[in-house]
Amino acid sequence: MISHRARFLNWIVAFVFGVCLTFGFQAKNYGEVLLTNPVTYILPVVMTVLFGFMIKYIWQKWDLILSKKAMQVRTQEDNVSFKKAFLTAFLIISVLYLIVFLGVYPGFFCYDAQDELVETIARTFSNQHPMLHVLSMGGIVQAFHKLTGDYNIAIAAFILFGMLITSGVYGFLVAYLRTNGLGKRGALIFTLYLGLFPVLVMLALCSTKDGVFGAFLILTVLYLLKMIKNPQDFFSKKKEVIIFVISATLMMLLRSNGIYAFIVFLPIAVFAFWKTLGLRKYFKQFLVVGVIAVIAFFVINKGMLHAVNASDIGHREILSVPIQQITRVYCYDPDSLSQDEKNSILKYLPDETLKRYEPKAADVVKIDFNEAAFSESPSDFIKLWMSLMTKHPKAYVDAWVMTSYGMWYPGAIMDNYKGHDVYTHSYEETSYFAFETEPPGERDSKIPVINDIYRWFSLDSTIQKIPVINMLFSPGFMFFVFIFVLGFMISYGRGRLAIAFLIPFLTLLTNFIGPLSLVRYVFYLWVIIPIMFFEVTKAENVKAVRKERMEK
């Protein structure tokens, strides 16, 4: 039975699918959205109608199948040890990661890794990168370098530190699922998936903050599920509450997207708690716990920045999309600009920087954004941006689509850095993953065949072009699956469960307004989606839905 409040959600999901497929296809093949072509408007409407009926039919059948299955399944009396399940999964995943680690030794030291390390060596810090990550990387690498005199060993120590955090969270996840009804065979299969799937392996063995950020985001979701499903038990245990606060705080400390998402999530979730009869009496406790996590983030983050006297890089990161939009107008339609408009643009970005414009990556332009000019009068920049938007709406749409479509179009090839030279290679067909080990480290593979396999995954676009298989590696397809399942949860009586998945959803939205499309930004979807399927299909949860419907 579909919820009255969500009876049109299938059409919303269908519309999103239609727009994403139309705009994404045009962006990939033409480098722009063909807003003057009638097909651009007709096609999403047609797909909305087709997908709308299809999604509703699948959701109804899925709900019916789950309801019948729940009536037939008896609660299993399986005394599973959480500790044993955790240790088993943790050890298997760690061993699998260690094998790949030897193949890519000392690990994937990339994505601004050198810049972050230099900050700690030079003792000159900025707030461009999360300070917790900068200090932990710098501290571990510098400490082991002093002990061994070998930067490869030092980098390997930091990579292993992040790997153990990820393995620990994944082990906890498997134990959570195992003790909540997942069978022994299913737990083994999922453990092998977490330990072998290339996207997850690459991020587990990468120095970037995204890997540990994703781990704590996943842990936060798990504790939200525990809170939502049994709030009385959760709030009566201080250990559970403390772990949730720590996990949420670390998630926010490791990426700015985390704090943006959590601040938006908190009032929505509090409202959802208050509106849900089964959770209403706990909404104050949840609000207090959420506020404590936010306060902890600001206190710790400000404390670290103050302690190292970090400089402020300003607003260029959050202004990536507006900067890219203004730059596209300047480069693609300069004759339409008055001299005053050109002078206003040059006030914030030098001409030589504007000429470096790349449609799929804002980084090459935003790096030279004049923060002093913006800080002097932010309103002038906003007025310029809005003025150009009214005159060049198509350029603004194109600029945003080109930097983001890799995140929401299933057929995208991840090639944002195409043609760029890095320390050890040049990006040609794809920049799916950075792969390299930046100086002062140096790749010293102990198992060359594994190194070659991951180089192929990272820098060869073949797997992104194989029909069906390519969807398994597509961030856009993961996005489609995510909102499909989330829509089902909300529409078919599982709204309480959906609350826990709002954080990854909101985090995903923040990535859509980022400087470019990268797999590392959204890799957590490859873990979150299996959790969603488990919670949706779990007999206990289905029975709770049926009981609620009968009471209504």
Side-chain angles (χ1 to χ4, degrees):
M1 181 186 296
I2 191 168
S3 167
H4 290 293
R5 297 177 182 177
R7 62 171 65 250
F8 298 112
L9 195 55
N10 61 304
W11 300 110
I12 295 174
V13 174
F15 178 74
V16 171
F17 284 3
V19 172
C20 288
L21 290 172
T22 302
F23 281 25
F25 177 84
Q26 292 180 355
K28 178 183 176 182
N29 291 279
Y30 308 116
E32 61 178 332
V33 179
L34 307 178
L35 292 180
T36 58
N37 191 326
V39 174
T40 304
Y41 305 94
I42 296 172
L43 200 56
V45 173
V46 173
M47 284 194 283
T48 297
V49 173
L50 294 175
F51 284 137
F53 285 113
M54 187 184 303
I55 290 169
K56 185 176 181 180
Y57 176 79
I58 294 173
W59 282 354
Q60 288 176 337
K61 290 295 182 183
W62 194 10
D63 182 61
L64 182 62
I65 291 169
L66 291 176
S67 297
K68 290 181 178 179
K69 181 180 178 182
M71 288 187 288
Q72 298 169 356
V73 175
R74 295 180 180 179
T75 303
Q76 294 181 349
E77 296 182 1
D78 189 4
N79 296 321
V80 180
S81 166
F82 185 94
K83 183 178 181 180
K84 181 179 179 181
F86 165 77
L87 288 174
T88 301
F90 172 72
L91 289 173
I92 291 174
I93 293 170
S94 296
V95 169
L96 292 173
Y97 286 171
L98 282 170
I99 293 171
V100 178
F101 168 74
L102 292 174
V104 299
Y105 182 83
F108 302 117
F109 192 67
C110 51
Y111 292 125
D112 303 316
Q114 188 189 68
D115 293 341
E116 291 186 45
L117 181 58
V118 167
E119 284 190 26
T120 60
I121 294 174
R123 296 292 190 272
T124 304
F125 299 93
S126 75
N127 64 351
Q128 179 171 359
H129 305 289
M131 192 50 58
L132 177 62
H133 189 261
V134 172
L135 293 177
S136 60
M137 174 194 286
I140 291 173
V141 172
Q142 287 294 86
F144 275 86
H145 180 254
K146 287 181 180 179
L147 288 172
T148 66
D150 188 325
Y151 265 117
N152 263 14
I153 294 176
I155 289 170
F158 179 70
I159 296 294
L160 289 173
F161 172 71
M163 185 206 81
L164 289 174
I165 291 175
T166 303
S167 298
V169 171
Y170 289 169
F172 182 92
L173 168 58
V174 174
Y176 168 85
L177 299 179
R178 183 75 178 95
T179 54
N180 278 271
L182 183 64
K184 188 174 182 180
R185 182 181 299 176
L188 177 59
I189 292 172
F190 189 53
T191 299
L192 293 175
Y193 164 75
L194 294 171
L196 292 171
F197 191 72
V199 172
L200 303 180
V201 178
M202 290 188 290
L203 267 298
L205 298 176
C206 184
S207 61
T208 181
K209 62 260 186 186
D210 298 281
V212 284
F213 163 78
F216 286 114
L217 184 152
I218 292 162
L219 189 61
T220 301
V221 169
L222 291 179
Y223 271 86
L224 277 170
L225 285 168
K226 296 175 76 170
M227 181 194 302
I228 289 164
K229 291 193 289 187
N230 195 344
Q232 183 177 357
D233 182 65
F234 181 87
F235 286 110
S236 66
K237 296 179 179 178
K238 290 183 179 180
K239 180 181 177 182
E240 301 280 85
V241 175
I242 290 171
I243 293 176
F244 171 75
V245 171
I246 292 173
S247 179
T249 302
L250 289 171
M251 177 194 72
M252 291 184 273
L253 286 169
L254 286 163
R255 273 204 75 91
S256 298
N257 307 71
I259 181 62
Y260 301 149
F262 196 84
I263 286 178
V264 175
F265 161 79
L266 191 56
I268 296 174
V270 168
F271 178 75
F273 265 64
W274 182 77
K275 290 292 288 182
T276 303
L277 291 177
L279 298 173
R280 180 171 295 179
K281 64 180 180 179
Y282 300 101
F283 86 93
K284 290 183 180 179
Q285 290 100 312
F286 173 73
L287 175 60
V288 170
V289 169
V291 169
I292 289 173
V294 173
I295 292 173
F297 160 77
F298 281 110
V299 170
I300 296 171
N301 193 53
K302 290 293 184 182
M304 288 189 296
L305 293 173
H306 179 73
V308 299
N309 194 27
S311 61
D312 187 358
I313 64 164
H315 302 82
R316 69 188 186 208
E317 295 297 325
I318 201 169
L319 292 175
S320 293
V321 172
I323 290 171
Q324 192 78 339
Q325 291 169 328
I326 291 173
T327 304
R328 189 177 180 98
V329 173
Y330 185 90
C331 290
Y332 282 31
D333 199 6
D335 294 338
S336 68
L337 297 172
S338 67
Q339 191 58 48
D340 286 343
E341 289 173 328
K342 289 182 179 179
N343 291 337
S344 295
I345 294 173
L346 293 171
K347 177 181 175 182
Y348 302 103
L349 294 159
D351 181 66
E352 59 271 20
T353 297
L354 291 163
K355 290 177 180 177
R356 295 203 305 263
Y357 170 74
E358 292 185 10
K360 296 183 181 181
D363 288 346
V364 295
V365 174
K366 74 177 184 183
I367 191 68
D368 290 329
F369 182 67
N370 190 333
E371 181 61 32
F374 177 84
S375 299
E376 183 179 335
S377 180
S379 61
D380 287 347
F381 180 83
I382 295 172
K383 288 177 183 177
L384 171 65
W385 177 70
M386 294 185 68
S387 173
L388 293 178
M389 178 172 59
T390 59
K391 298 176 183 178
H392 304 273
K394 182 181 185 305
Y396 272 44
V397 171
D398 289 338
W400 172 74
V401 167
M402 292 304 295
T403 56
S404 67
Y405 81 90
M407 302 284 207
W408 43 260
Y409 175 57
I413 300 295
M414 309 302 288
D415 60 354
N416 304 281
Y417 289 136
K418 186 175 182 178
H420 282 242
D421 295 324
V422 288
Y423 293 101
T424 60
H425 59 263
S426 297
Y427 290 113
E428 296 177 0
E429 296 178 340
T430 184
S431 50
Y432 191 83
F433 183 70
F435 179 74
E436 68 175 344
T437 299
E438 294 180 4
E442 183 179 1
R443 184 64 53 82
D444 182 20
S445 175
K446 310 304 179 183
I447 312 176
V449 65
I450 291 180
N451 187 68
D452 292 342
I453 290 172
Y454 277 87
R455 181 183 180 87
W456 180 77
F457 273 120
S458 304
L459 305 177
D460 191 300
S461 63
T462 301
I463 202 162
Q464 298 176 65
K465 297 176 181 178
I466 302 173
V468 181
I469 297 296
N470 62 340
M471 293 297 103
L472 299 177
F473 295 84
S474 166
F477 182 71
M478 292 299 113
F479 167 65
F480 272 35
V481 176
F482 180 84
I483 63 171
F484 176 85
V485 181
L486 190 64
F488 174 76
M489 282 183 170
I490 298 170
S491 295
Y492 284 82
R494 296 158 177 86
R496 282 178 60 171
L497 291 175
I499 296 171
F501 298 100
L502 280 178
I503 289 183
F505 175 70
L506 293 169
T507 304
L508 189 61
L509 294 185
T510 66
N511 288 317
F512 287 177
I513 54 174
L516 71 168
S517 300
L518 290 174
V519 174
R520 68 183 175 101
Y521 291 161
V522 295
F523 87 96
Y524 53 82
L525 290 179
W526 275 268
V527 182
I528 291 292
I529 289 172
I531 301 173
M532 295 175 78
F533 274 104
F534 173 80
E535 294 294 344
V536 165
T537 58
K538 186 181 174 186
E540 177 185 324
N541 294 336
V542 177
K543 288 178 180 178
V545 172
R546 292 184 68 251
K547 181 180 178 182
E548 185 177 337
R549 290 174 182 173
M550 291 175 68
E551 290 174 351
K552 290 181 178 180

